[in-house]
Amino acid sequence: MSAGFQHVTVLLNEAVAALAIRPDGVYVDCTFGRGGHSRAILAQLGPSGRLIAFDKDPQAVAEAERLAAAEPRFTIVHEGFETFARELDRLGVGMVDGVLMDLGVSSPQIDDGSRGFSFRFDAPLDMRMDTTRGLTAAEWLAEASEADIREVIKTYGEERFARQIAAAIVATRAESPITTTRELAGLVAKNVRTREPGQDPATRTFQAIRIYINRELDELKAVLPQAARRLAAGGRLAVIAFHSLEDRIVKHYLKDVSSADELPSWVAVRAADIPAAPMKLVGKAVKAGEEEVRANPRSRSAILRVAARTDAPWREGDA
């Protein structure tokens, strides 16, 4: 494992079991990370099975390339998963039997202080998952308007003091650019008047900027319909979310494509004539058990939702 940073895969057994893996099936891991889920999937595939994984992080891709060199059933794609359909087309892959998404930031990204994701370290304010492209957090803070900064912190961080934090950022950068995690965390701490027990005052702001810089919610909204439409009948979509903004998107999408069309009560129609839903929910949402949470506190907020493709065609209006 690269750089010596350990990654504990969250809901490993539950997520892989949710895929109901067929030995000869084709599967997609949308977030390779350090390969915990991918290796578990490969362990259940037979010689004719195939796994394609995506990741934006060059360190994760390097780890995946080492696996690919020794494993002919595995392919890594260095792209965000919003390119899902395009990259499967490029690889000559049609329908797939399962898709897994483990959302959010990985433990190695947080624990590697040089990446700038965490306020626990003093480091350049980067926050990019893909360090080969795009604006860093420092570059964005240097050029964004106060209104845009406020909206990002309010929307993606659900921070009550977004207005005060944004104003302080703009005032501070007028004197000197904000280039390190410690500078930003200290500035935020001075403008968050009340703190949630056990939570650093910079938590919500760092989350918000990270989500914005990496377009995390936009990518999630883009990939869900792509992944669902590439599932073969019976194929499973399993998604692990780590905060309410992600989970809300996943929950609403799966509910929409798993619900039968609702007609007004006055419409006379046989139940058999109502178009069936193209997906169906599989079980209830799953959270990490007490033992996993004790071993890995970061799993506390994880929630797994699963849906399966039915035989019904996609309906007009389905995303």
Side-chain angles (χ1 to χ4, degrees):
M1 190 166 293
S2 61
F5 296 102
Q6 184 179 10
H7 178 62
V8 181
T9 305
V10 173
L11 292 171
L12 174 61
N13 295 328
E14 294 86 346
V16 175
L19 294 176
I21 292 173
R22 294 173 36 218
D24 61 346
V26 179
Y27 294 87
V28 181
D29 182 352
C30 285
T31 45
F32 179 81
R34 291 304 184 270
H37 288 123
S38 283
R39 289 183 174 89
I41 293 169
L42 286 167
Q44 296 190 31
L45 290 179
S48 60
R50 186 174 184 186
L51 174 64
I52 298 99
F54 288 73
D55 211 293
K56 295 192 291 187
D57 190 322
Q59 294 179 5
V61 171
E63 182 77 18
E65 288 174 341
R66 285 189 283 272
L67 176 60
E71 176 50 82
R73 300 171 300 170
F74 176 70
T75 303
I76 180 64
V77 177
H78 183 188
E79 292 287 350
F81 50 59
E82 69 177 345
T83 65
F84 187 97
R86 185 191 77 194
E87 290 299 316
L88 290 194
D89 289 342
R90 181 181 66 82
L91 293 169
V93 175
M95 307 304 283
V96 302
D97 299 291
V99 179
L100 174 62
M101 302 176 194
D102 182 4
L103 305 175
V105 65
S106 70
S107 295
Q109 289 170 330
I110 295 173
D111 294 336
D112 183 353
S114 67
R115 301 296 300 273
F117 286 105
S118 176
F119 44 76
R120 294 187 291 115
F121 309 97
D122 189 22
L125 194 56
D126 193 316
M127 293 196 190
R128 292 173 300 166
M129 291 181 180
D130 187 346
T131 54
T132 68
R133 65 189 87 174
L135 289 176
T136 67
E139 290 168 338
W140 178 71
L141 286 176
E143 65 181 36
S145 69
E146 181 175 335
D148 285 346
I149 295 171
R150 180 177 65 247
E151 187 63 24
V152 165
I153 296 173
K154 178 181 177 182
T155 301
Y156 297 143
E158 299 178 298
E159 171 59 72
R160 290 177 295 163
F161 301 104
R163 180 178 61 81
Q164 293 91 330
I165 294 168
I169 287 172
V170 171
T172 300
R173 77 183 185 190
E175 301 295 328
S176 177
I178 302 166
T179 60
T180 71
T181 54
R182 182 166 294 172
E183 288 173 325
L184 178 60
L187 183 155
V188 172
K190 293 176 182 178
N191 289 276
V192 174
R193 295 195 298 269
T194 61
R195 308 182 185 190
E196 295 162 282
Q199 186 179 91
D200 189 284
T203 298
R204 292 178 176 273
T205 296
F206 270 64
Q207 172 186 292
I209 296 173
R210 187 204 83 216
I211 288 173
Y212 177 79
I213 290 294
N214 294 288
R215 300 182 56 254
E216 293 177 38
L217 301 187
D218 291 338
E219 284 205 329
L220 178 58
K221 292 174 184 177
V223 73
L224 286 170
Q226 294 182 58
R229 285 180 173 271
R230 295 300 277 260
L231 287 173
R236 300 283 188 91
L237 172 61
V239 187
I240 303 172
F242 285 86
H243 58 73
S244 60
L245 297 176
E246 292 174 338
D247 185 54
R248 195 175 303 142
I249 292 169
V250 175
K251 180 180 180 179
H252 288 173
Y253 177 77
L254 295 183
K255 180 180 178 182
D256 288 345
V257 295
S258 302
S259 301
D261 286 343
E262 294 185 5
L263 299 177
S265 59
W266 50 265
V267 175
V269 64
R270 298 180 305 169
D273 293 331
I274 299 175
M279 302 281 289
K280 65 178 180 180
L281 299 179
V282 177
K284 296 181 179 180
V286 176
K287 295 185 178 181
E290 293 181 5
E291 184 176 342
E292 180 171 2
V293 171
R294 282 196 300 268
N296 178 19
R298 288 174 181 164
S299 68
R300 182 179 292 108
S301 61
I303 183 166
L304 168 66
R305 298 185 187 274
V306 185
R309 181 73 171 95
T310 69
D311 292 324
W314 288 94
R315 304 164 298 190
E316 183 177 355
D318 280 322

